[in-house]
PDB file of all heavy atoms in Angstrom:
ATOM      1  N   SER A 161      -0.914 -53.932  79.351  1.00 79.00           N
ATOM      2  CA  SER A 161      -0.740 -53.085  78.085  1.00 79.00           C
ATOM      3  C   SER A 161      -2.034 -52.649  77.485  1.00 79.00           C
ATOM      4  O   SER A 161      -2.215 -51.525  76.949  1.00 79.00           O
ATOM      5  CB  SER A 161       0.158 -53.752  77.083  1.00 79.00           C
ATOM      6  OG  SER A 161       1.415 -53.985  77.512  1.00 79.00           O
ATOM      7  N   ILE A 162      -3.036 -53.595  77.524  1.00 81.00           N
ATOM      8  CA  ILE A 162      -4.365 -53.225  76.922  1.00 81.00           C
ATOM      9  C   ILE A 162      -5.071 -52.060  77.623  1.00 81.00           C
ATOM     10  O   ILE A 162      -5.716 -51.181  77.072  1.00 81.00           O
ATOM     11  CB  ILE A 162      -5.208 -54.501  76.923  1.00 81.00           C
ATOM     12  CG1 ILE A 162      -6.557 -54.251  76.142  1.00 81.00           C
ATOM     13  CG2 ILE A 162      -5.581 -54.961  78.423  1.00 81.00           C
ATOM     14  CD1 ILE A 162      -6.413 -53.912  74.640  1.00 81.00           C
ATOM     15  N   PHE A 163      -4.867 -52.000  79.029  1.00 82.00           N
ATOM     16  CA  PHE A 163      -5.307 -50.877  79.806  1.00 82.00           C
ATOM     17  C   PHE A 163      -4.675 -49.622  79.326  1.00 82.00           C
ATOM     18  O   PHE A 163      -5.324 -48.572  79.050  1.00 82.00           O
ATOM     19  CB  PHE A 163      -5.206 -51.171  81.230  1.00 82.00           C
ATOM     20  CG  PHE A 163      -5.574 -49.983  82.130  1.00 82.00           C
ATOM     21  CD1 PHE A 163      -6.967 -49.758  82.435  1.00 82.00           C
ATOM     22  CD2 PHE A 163      -4.665 -49.114  82.598  1.00 82.00           C
ATOM     23  CE1 PHE A 163      -7.342 -48.694  83.180  1.00 82.00           C
ATOM     24  CE2 PHE A 163      -5.063 -48.030  83.446  1.00 82.00           C
ATOM     25  CZ  PHE A 163      -6.408 -47.857  83.697  1.00 82.00           C
ATOM     26  N   ILE A 164      -3.340 -49.525  79.270  1.00 82.00           N
ATOM     27  CA  ILE A 164      -2.624 -48.418  78.852  1.00 82.00           C
ATOM     28  C   ILE A 164      -2.986 -47.908  77.480  1.00 82.00           C
ATOM     29  O   ILE A 164      -3.208 -46.754  77.145  1.00 82.00           O
ATOM     30  CB  ILE A 164      -1.092 -48.662  79.044  1.00 82.00           C
ATOM     31  CG1 ILE A 164      -0.771 -49.020  80.374  1.00 82.00           C
ATOM     32  CG2 ILE A 164      -0.335 -47.359  78.632  1.00 82.00           C
ATOM     33  CD1 ILE A 164       0.769 -49.464  80.592  1.00 82.00           C
ATOM     34  N   PHE A 165      -3.017 -48.879  76.608  1.00 82.00           N
ATOM     35  CA  PHE A 165      -3.347 -48.592  75.236  1.00 82.00           C
ATOM     36  C   PHE A 165      -4.716 -48.016  75.084  1.00 82.00           C
ATOM     37  O   PHE A 165      -4.973 -47.031  74.407  1.00 82.00           O
ATOM     38  CB  PHE A 165      -3.326 -49.823  74.357  1.00 82.00           C
ATOM     39  CG  PHE A 165      -3.849 -49.798  72.928  1.00 82.00           C
ATOM     40  CD1 PHE A 165      -3.033 -49.105  71.972  1.00 82.00           C
ATOM     41  CD2 PHE A 165      -5.009 -50.179  72.527  1.00 82.00           C
ATOM     42  CE1 PHE A 165      -3.513 -48.959  70.717  1.00 82.00           C
ATOM     43  CE2 PHE A 165      -5.489 -50.108  71.285  1.00 82.00           C
ATOM     44  CZ  PHE A 165      -4.780 -49.412  70.321  1.00 82.00           C
ATOM     45  N   THR A 166      -5.747 -48.610  75.788  1.00 83.00           N
ATOM     46  CA  THR A 166      -7.151 -47.971  75.726  1.00 83.00           C
ATOM     47  C   THR A 166      -7.123 -46.537  76.331  1.00 83.00           C
ATOM     48  O   THR A 166      -7.838 -45.719  75.711  1.00 83.00           O
ATOM     49  CB  THR A 166      -8.106 -48.933  76.533  1.00 83.00           C
ATOM     50  OG1 THR A 166      -8.062 -50.207  76.101  1.00 83.00           O
ATOM     51  CG2 THR A 166      -9.496 -48.442  76.490  1.00 83.00           C
ATOM     52  N   LEU A 167      -6.464 -46.334  77.397  1.00 82.00           N
ATOM     53  CA  LEU A 167      -6.525 -45.036  77.981  1.00 82.00           C
ATOM     54  C   LEU A 167      -5.754 -44.023  77.100  1.00 82.00           C
ATOM     55  O   LEU A 167      -6.283 -42.881  76.824  1.00 82.00           O
ATOM     56  CB  LEU A 167      -5.722 -45.095  79.358  1.00 82.00           C
ATOM     57  CG  LEU A 167      -5.666 -43.833  80.119  1.00 82.00           C
ATOM     58  CD1 LEU A 167      -7.158 -43.398  80.563  1.00 82.00           C
ATOM     59  CD2 LEU A 167      -4.943 -43.949  81.414  1.00 82.00           C
ATOM     60  N   ASP A 168      -4.678 -44.461  76.373  1.00 80.00           N
ATOM     61  CA  ASP A 168      -3.891 -43.559  75.551  1.00 80.00           C
ATOM     62  C   ASP A 168      -4.717 -43.157  74.357  1.00 80.00           C
ATOM     63  O   ASP A 168      -4.839 -42.023  73.910  1.00 80.00           O
ATOM     64  CB  ASP A 168      -2.654 -44.203  75.129  1.00 80.00           C
ATOM     65  CG  ASP A 168      -1.538 -43.275  74.536  1.00 80.00           C
ATOM     66  OD1 ASP A 168      -1.822 -42.031  74.545  1.00 80.00           O
ATOM     67  OD2 ASP A 168      -0.702 -43.741  73.957  1.00 80.00           O
ATOM     68  N   ILE A 169      -5.312 -44.265  73.634  1.00 83.00           N
ATOM     69  CA  ILE A 169      -6.087 -43.929  72.480  1.00 83.00           C
ATOM     70  C   ILE A 169      -7.298 -43.067  72.719  1.00 83.00           C
ATOM     71  O   ILE A 169      -7.781 -42.338  71.968  1.00 83.00           O
ATOM     72  CB  ILE A 169      -6.333 -45.255  71.722  1.00 83.00           C
ATOM     73  CG1 ILE A 169      -5.172 -45.964  71.347  1.00 83.00           C
ATOM     74  CG2 ILE A 169      -7.403 -45.007  70.608  1.00 83.00           C
ATOM     75  CD1 ILE A 169      -4.300 -45.187  70.303  1.00 83.00           C
ATOM     76  N   THR A 170      -7.950 -43.346  73.826  1.00 82.00           N
ATOM     77  CA  THR A 170      -9.128 -42.684  74.197  1.00 82.00           C
ATOM     78  C   THR A 170      -8.904 -41.226  74.353  1.00 82.00           C
ATOM     79  O   THR A 170      -9.637 -40.354  73.818  1.00 82.00           O
ATOM     80  CB  THR A 170      -9.741 -43.282  75.552  1.00 82.00           C
ATOM     81  OG1 THR A 170     -10.054 -44.597  75.377  1.00 82.00           O
ATOM     82  CG2 THR A 170     -11.067 -42.462  75.929  1.00 82.00           C
ATOM     83  N   LEU A 171      -7.847 -40.794  75.018  1.00 80.00           N
ATOM     84  CA  LEU A 171      -7.497 -39.367  75.210  1.00 80.00           C
ATOM     85  C   LEU A 171      -7.186 -38.767  73.938  1.00 80.00           C
ATOM     86  O   LEU A 171      -7.539 -37.651  73.676  1.00 80.00           O
ATOM     87  CB  LEU A 171      -6.435 -39.273  76.303  1.00 80.00           C
ATOM     88  CG  LEU A 171      -6.712 -39.634  77.734  1.00 80.00           C
ATOM     89  CD1 LEU A 171      -5.466 -39.514  78.520  1.00 80.00           C
ATOM     90  CD2 LEU A 171      -7.811 -38.734  78.330  1.00 80.00           C
ATOM     91  N   LYS A 172      -6.451 -39.413  73.034  1.00 81.00           N
ATOM     92  CA  LYS A 172      -5.984 -38.814  71.830  1.00 81.00           C
ATOM     93  C   LYS A 172      -7.254 -38.631  70.932  1.00 81.00           C
ATOM     94  O   LYS A 172      -7.386 -37.651  70.187  1.00 81.00           O
ATOM     95  CB  LYS A 172      -4.999 -39.766  71.097  1.00 81.00           C
ATOM     96  CG  LYS A 172      -3.635 -39.720  71.840  1.00 81.00           C
ATOM     97  CD  LYS A 172      -2.682 -40.567  71.104  1.00 81.00           C
ATOM     98  CE  LYS A 172      -1.328 -40.520  71.740  1.00 81.00           C
ATOM     99  NZ  LYS A 172      -0.238 -41.430  71.080  1.00 81.00           N
ATOM    100  N   TYR A 173      -8.161 -39.642  70.913  1.00 82.00           N
ATOM    101  CA  TYR A 173      -9.404 -39.471  69.975  1.00 82.00           C
ATOM    102  C   TYR A 173     -10.383 -38.553  70.498  1.00 82.00           C
ATOM    103  O   TYR A 173     -11.196 -38.032  69.764  1.00 82.00           O
ATOM    104  CB  TYR A 173      -9.912 -40.870  69.711  1.00 82.00           C
ATOM    105  CG  TYR A 173      -9.393 -41.583  68.566  1.00 82.00           C
ATOM    106  CD1 TYR A 173      -8.072 -42.175  68.652  1.00 82.00           C
ATOM    107  CD2 TYR A 173      -9.935 -41.469  67.208  1.00 82.00           C
ATOM    108  CE1 TYR A 173      -7.497 -42.815  67.507  1.00 82.00           C
ATOM    109  CE2 TYR A 173      -9.250 -42.070  66.164  1.00 82.00           C
ATOM    110  CZ  TYR A 173      -8.086 -42.768  66.209  1.00 82.00           C
ATOM    111  OH  TYR A 173      -7.515 -43.319  65.176  1.00 82.00           O
ATOM    112  N   ILE A 174     -10.356 -38.294  71.800  1.00 80.00           N
ATOM    113  CA  ILE A 174     -11.247 -37.235  72.237  1.00 80.00           C
ATOM    114  C   ILE A 174     -10.857 -35.917  71.663  1.00 80.00           C
ATOM    115  O   ILE A 174     -11.722 -35.157  71.240  1.00 80.00           O
ATOM    116  CB  ILE A 174     -11.167 -37.098  73.778  1.00 80.00           C
ATOM    117  CG1 ILE A 174     -11.839 -38.325  74.452  1.00 80.00           C
ATOM    118  CG2 ILE A 174     -11.775 -35.896  74.323  1.00 80.00           C
ATOM    119  CD1 ILE A 174     -11.816 -38.300  76.018  1.00 80.00           C
ATOM    120  N   VAL A 175      -9.539 -35.562  71.578  1.00 79.00           N
ATOM    121  CA  VAL A 175      -9.103 -34.404  70.954  1.00 79.00           C
ATOM    122  C   VAL A 175      -9.403 -34.370  69.505  1.00 79.00           C
ATOM    123  O   VAL A 175      -9.862 -33.350  68.954  1.00 79.00           O
ATOM    124  CB  VAL A 175      -7.611 -34.188  71.191  1.00 79.00           C
ATOM    125  CG1 VAL A 175      -7.017 -32.914  70.563  1.00 79.00           C
ATOM    126  CG2 VAL A 175      -7.339 -34.100  72.661  1.00 79.00           C
TER     127      VAL A 175
END
Side-chain angles (χ1 to χ4, degrees):
S161 298
I162 186 63
F163 175 80
I164 303 175
F165 173 76
T166 303
L167 184 62
D168 193 14
I169 294 300
T170 300
L171 292 177
K172 289 181 179 179
Y173 269 82
I174 286 176
V175 178

